[in-house]
Amino acid sequence: MALPHSAARYRQIAEILVSNGFSALVGQLGLTEHVPEVLRRRLLAKAATGPAGAGEASGPLPGPARLRHALEQLGPTFVKLGQMLATRDDLLPAAYTEELTRLQDATDPVPFEAIAATLREELGVELAEAYAHIEEVPLATASIGQAHLARLHDGTEAVVKVRKPGVQESVIADLDILRHLAGIAAREWDLARDVDVEGLISAFDRSLRRELDYRAEAANARRFAED
């Protein structure tokens, strides 16, 4: 089966899912061929004993904790997906939704040099021209961006929110992969078809793409201030 985008990313997704005990899901998503041989043997052994769900036994952690751990390992897009699923008690048992509420956006900050380069590129001027002062240590850090306290030349205090370098491209690539996998799951897995997993991922895709658009967020903030 031909797969779009980076084969390395598909392989990484497959490895993380199998390593966390979700070998059956790997098969249902058509990712078995991307599992390294040593993990593929484990996958085939599990398949021989019959299908297992999200709660299949794998090590000391229960299924909900392993799912959260897998999503954290898979990165920002999957963390956001888990946060959305945490609100869907119509799709997942309570133990899973409760565990997924523990997913946090907080990540290590990007070095200020990279943030400064992004600001110079986006604003088209040097930082000293745009700001009288900007704090190098971020006020807050999340999976997609980070915020820095700043002061404009007219004395106005501001918070500068900057999307992390490369995160937009990474998230969009992962969203495309999720849409592709949802299509496979809908064809091969009755449960995925019953819950309209393609519609679920499409809605998630639209929501996360809007979150990536800081211009829309700025417009909403201005509208809120005016109201």
Side-chain angles (χ1 to χ4, degrees):
M1 179 186 300
L3 293 174
H5 310 295
S6 168
R9 182 56 171 160
Y10 280 96
R11 183 167 59 253
Q12 184 182 44
I13 292 170
E15 287 183 28
I16 289 173
L17 289 175
V18 170
S19 295
N20 283 281
F22 298 98
S23 53
L25 181 59
V26 167
Q28 289 154 342
L29 294 176
L31 291 173
T32 304
E33 64 186 274
H34 292 273
V35 180
E37 186 61 32
V38 64
L39 290 178
R40 189 179 300 183
R41 286 196 293 270
R42 189 201 309 179
L43 175 62
L44 293 174
K46 286 181 179 292
T49 64
E56 61 189 13
S58 175
L61 291 177
R66 287 187 284 107
L67 178 58
R68 176 177 59 82
H69 186 59
L71 293 173
E72 288 171 338
Q73 288 181 292
L74 287 167
T77 308
F78 289 84
V79 168
K80 295 287 188 183
L81 178 62
Q83 290 172 339
M84 183 270 289
L85 290 174
T87 68
R88 297 297 303 268
D89 54 8
D90 58 322
L91 297 179
L92 293 175
Y96 282 85
T97 56
E98 290 172 8
E99 183 68 30
L100 294 182
T101 62
R102 298 178 59 193
L103 286 168
Q104 300 295 322
D105 272 340
T107 58
D108 293 333
V110 169
F112 185 72
E113 292 75 12
I115 295 298
T118 298
L119 286 170
R120 284 194 294 268
E121 180 180 353
E122 293 291 329
L123 299 175
V125 297
E126 291 298 319
L127 262 61
E129 296 180 58
Y131 309 104
H133 175 73
I134 181 168
E135 292 285 345
E136 295 192 6
V137 177
L139 174 68
T141 304
S143 55
I144 289 177
Q146 60 192 57
H148 293 256
L149 288 174
R151 186 175 66 255
L152 306 185
H153 287 287
D154 65 2
T156 302
E157 300 291 336
V159 174
V160 182
K161 188 173 181 180
V162 186
R163 199 167 50 215
K164 291 180 175 178
V167 74
Q168 181 172 13
E169 296 78 5
S170 172
V171 168
I172 288 175
D174 274 352
L175 286 172
D176 289 343
I177 288 173
L178 280 172
R179 291 175 72 100
H180 180 246
L181 295 179
I184 294 174
R187 291 193 299 272
E188 305 295 334
W189 189 10
D190 290 342
L191 177 60
R193 191 161 49 250
D194 291 343
V195 302
D196 188 20
V197 69
E198 287 183 288
L200 182 74
I201 294 300
S202 291
F204 172 69
D205 182 300
R206 292 191 298 271
S207 174
L208 190 48
R209 286 177 191 266
R210 284 196 300 269
E211 188 172 338
L212 285 170
D213 187 352
Y214 281 3
R215 292 171 301 181
E217 184 173 342
N220 290 335
R222 284 194 294 270
R223 187 177 304 113
F224 182 81
E226 291 167 1
D227 290 344

